[in-house]
Amino acid sequence: MLAAPINPSDINRIEGVYPVRPQVPAVGGYEGVGEVYSVGSAVKGLSAGDLVIPSPPSSGTWQTYVVKDQDMWHKISKDSPIEYAATVTVNPLTALRMLEDFVTLNSGDSIVQNGATSIVGQCVIQLARFRGIHSINIIRDRAGSEEVKERLKAFGADEVFPESQLEVKNVKGLLSNIPEPALGFNCVGGNAASLVLKFLRQGGTMVTYGGMSKKPITVSTSSFIFKDLSLRGFWLQKWLSADKAKECRDMVDYLLCLAQEGKLKYEMELVPFDNFHTALDKALGKLGSQPKQVIKF
């Protein structure tokens, strides 16, 4: 293995609160990138020196050497940036699938999301922009929020609002020439999810893919009766288990190509393995808001 990220779901697996748990004893990590060291005599199509990722992703990437069957590995371009190859499967793929799987969006339409500074959020902004889709982004109130706003706008965000700015009756009055969104993404829950719902147009859909606040989603009766909103969920692991290996690899190649061309970017910090204690603290939020931690072996 060359590099592997620390994702929230990795922590949840270790805590024993994730729906799918590896058989113990187990090694952490679910995605990453490696270089082929050696192959068995019957292996064709892979050779020493090839750059590979586990696809679909699988447990055990937080270690220096991994032995798995040939069909578990997907060969990628040697020009792929290591940190993007290590992180392409879980977050960027989630962003891509959510944009394509729930509502038919056309150029000129819009989406709304909370958790806009997450990697999924950053990818949603950029992938939406490529399709001519406007993005309305909700961020937490915190020191430096103006700087965060500018960073997201540089990614292509049309509107960025701190939560406190949305404590008004008519949030749509804050939108200039952007149509009401038909699709919203929620990875926070609690009040942040309610703010996404406030923006949605009649018959809109909110897709939940995380719950960082650990607070439930509360929906008003009127949202269901008068706005006819739909609430859906997305779990990448379930999507991947539905015999999607080929489709997954095609999309990974597409996303890596965007990253290689500098068209898809997100904030990461490459950390030497010796500093994994600090990386873990950062990933757990003990040191404030931090970029995605990617362990380099």
Side-chain angles (χ1 to χ4, degrees):
M1 295 303 295
L2 299 175
I6 304 175
N7 288 319
S9 54
D10 295 324
I11 305 298
N12 293 155
R13 282 185 178 85
I14 294 167
E15 291 171 333
V17 297
Y18 204 69
V20 176
R21 304 170 199 173
Q23 194 171 348
V24 292
V27 175
Y30 188 60
E31 66 174 334
V33 61
E35 181 182 332
V36 176
Y37 179 72
S38 66
V39 297
S41 58
V43 171
K44 290 182 174 60
L46 287 177
S47 55
D50 285 345
L51 212 56
V52 293
I53 61 172
S55 180
S58 59
S59 295
T61 58
W62 290 357
Q63 55 186 324
T64 47
Y65 289 89
V66 182
V67 180
K68 288 185 187 289
D69 288 341
Q70 176 184 357
D71 58 7
M72 297 293 290
W73 300 104
H74 174 48
K75 182 178 173 180
I76 60 172
S77 167
K78 286 190 178 181
D79 295 328
S80 302
I82 291 296
E83 65 272 32
Y84 285 95
T87 56
V88 69
T89 307
V90 172
N91 293 297
L93 195 52
T94 292
L96 183 60
R97 291 299 356 130
M98 291 196 304
L99 281 168
E100 296 189 351
D101 286 357
F102 294 94
V103 172
T104 301
L105 296 169
N106 299 308
S107 181
D109 288 343
S110 69
I111 60 97
V112 58
Q113 65 171 346
N114 58 35
T117 58
S118 67
I119 288 193
V120 172
Q122 293 172 53
C123 290
V124 162
I125 291 169
Q126 295 167 85
L127 294 171
R129 190 191 69 213
F130 299 150
R131 292 162 167 73
I133 298 162
H134 303 288
S135 66
I136 302 155
N137 301 275
I138 302 167
I139 60 174
R140 286 182 295 120
D141 289 280
R142 57 181 167 187
S145 57
E146 277 304 313
E147 184 188 326
V148 171
K149 191 173 179 177
E150 290 311 309
R151 284 209 315 268
L152 294 180
K153 292 246 181 171
F155 282 132
D158 292 274
E159 296 285 0
V160 183
F161 299 109
E163 289 181 14
S164 59
Q165 195 179 341
L166 302 177
E167 300 301 333
V168 293
K169 190 164 186 182
N170 181 23
V171 294
K172 286 148 197 169
L174 299 170
L175 302 178
S176 46
N177 297 316
I178 300 176
E180 291 179 64
L183 181 62
F185 302 133
N186 163 53
C187 67
V188 181
N191 181 58
S194 301
L195 295 175
V196 169
L197 293 170
K198 280 172 83 169
F199 274 105
L200 289 177
R201 75 183 188 201
Q202 179 84 17
T205 298
M206 181 174 80
V207 180
T208 292
Y209 66 97
M212 291 189 292
S213 72
K214 295 186 168 61
K215 292 177 181 172
I217 297 166
T218 306
V219 190
S220 67
T221 303
S222 61
S223 291
F224 280 129
I225 296 176
F226 304 120
K227 288 184 74 177
D228 189 25
L229 297 183
S230 298
L231 303 188
R232 302 285 303 276
F234 180 79
W235 184 25
L236 182 68
Q237 190 157 339
K238 183 181 178 187
W239 183 86
L240 289 170
S241 66
D243 199 24
K244 302 279 188 181
K246 171 72 168 67
E247 197 176 342
C248 170
R249 292 179 179 190
D250 289 344
M251 288 184 293
V252 161
D253 289 341
Y254 163 70
L255 292 164
L256 275 177
C257 185
L258 290 178
Q260 202 173 318
E261 294 171 358
K263 294 178 181 175
L264 182 66
K265 301 176 181 177
Y266 41 87
E267 296 163 357
M268 293 173 283
E269 183 180 356
L270 267 174
V271 184
F273 180 71
D274 289 347
N275 296 346
F276 82 87
H277 288 290
T278 305
L280 206 49
D281 283 344
K282 287 181 177 180
L284 288 166
K286 293 180 180 179
L287 301 173
S289 181
Q290 299 286 339
K292 173 68 68 183
Q293 299 296 292
V294 182
I295 302 294
K296 190 173 182 183
F297 298 104

